[in-house]
Amino acid sequence: MRVGSGFDVHAFGPGDHVMLGGVRVPHSQGVVAHSDGDVLLHALCDALLGAAGLGDIGQHFPDSDPQWRGASSDRFVTHAVTLLRERGYSIVNADLTLLCEAPRLSGHRDAIRSAIATLLGVAADAVNLKATTTEKMGYLGRREGLAAEAVVLITRA
Ligand code: MG
């Protein structure tokens, strides 16, 4: 068994939605990002890579590379899952936390959980999704952006 953790943050910018776990969530702002700025999937990707000792998302998908401009972040996760499978690992479970004042996860939680489970090739109950605010403190509390943490456990049969 090996564990990996990931963290990601993106600033809000112009737009009318944010991508969360591969799901389009309507919001009064978008995010500033080279890719689609999906903090949940970026944190998840780093957790997957971390568990397998494979570095981080920036090493695999450099934001200086035009092929990742506007990229759908499920490509990052799918690639990380492939790298793990090639090394004989399977995913036990993933636990993710979204940190922001808005948007709220309610109404999207089941769709996001299901989308992430599909990307990972695991049952929905192997994916947990939590949300918290930072009690209006700091950059997240001032609604300057949103952040996510992820923890993943993997095992080699
Ligand atoms: Mg990111």
Side-chain angles (χ1 to χ4, degrees), residues 8-10 33 35 37-39 42-43 57:
D8 191 46
V9 57
H10 281 279
S35 67
D38 190 323
V39 287
H42 293 184
I57 191 170

Side-chain angles (χ1 to χ4, degrees), residues 15-52:
D16 62 1
H17 72 280
V18 295
M19 294 302 294
L20 291 174
V23 173
R24 185 185 172 102
V25 174
H27 187 50
S28 56
Q29 293 175 289
V31 295
V32 180
H34 187 75
S35 67
D36 65 4
D38 190 323
V39 287
L40 283 174
L41 293 191
H42 293 184
L44 177 63
C45 189
D46 262 353
L48 291 164
L49 295 170

Side-chain angles (χ1 to χ4, degrees), residues 97-109:
T97 305
L98 178 70
L99 302 102
C100 61
E101 296 290 333
R104 295 292 167 146
L105 265 189
S106 52
H108 306 283
R109 195 184 295 256

Side-chain angles (χ1 to χ4, degrees), residues 18-123:
V18 295
M19 294 302 294
L20 291 174
V23 173
R24 185 185 172 102
V25 174
H27 187 50
S28 56
Q29 293 175 289
V31 295
V32 180
H34 187 75
S35 67
D36 65 4
D38 190 323
V39 287
L40 283 174
L41 293 191
H42 293 184
L44 177 63
C45 189
D46 262 353
L48 291 164
L49 295 170
L54 292 171
D56 69 26
I57 191 170
Q59 291 173 272
H60 292 267
F61 312 102
D63 61 11
S64 55
D65 187 336
Q67 74 167 306
W68 307 119
R69 187 180 306 277
S72 172
S73 296
D74 53 12
R75 289 172 63 193
F76 304 157
V77 173
T78 299
H79 181 72
V81 169
T82 299
L83 292 177
L84 264 62
R85 292 223 175 100
E86 285 171 357
R87 285 158 180 78
Y89 291 114
S90 59
I91 295 154
V92 178
N93 73 303
D95 187 21
L96 298 96
T97 305
L98 178 70
L99 302 102
C100 61
E101 296 290 333
R104 295 292 167 146
L105 265 189
S106 52
H108 306 283
R109 195 184 295 256
D110 289 345
I112 294 170
R113 189 181 190 189
S114 164
I116 291 174
T118 299
L119 281 176
L120 296 180
V122 299

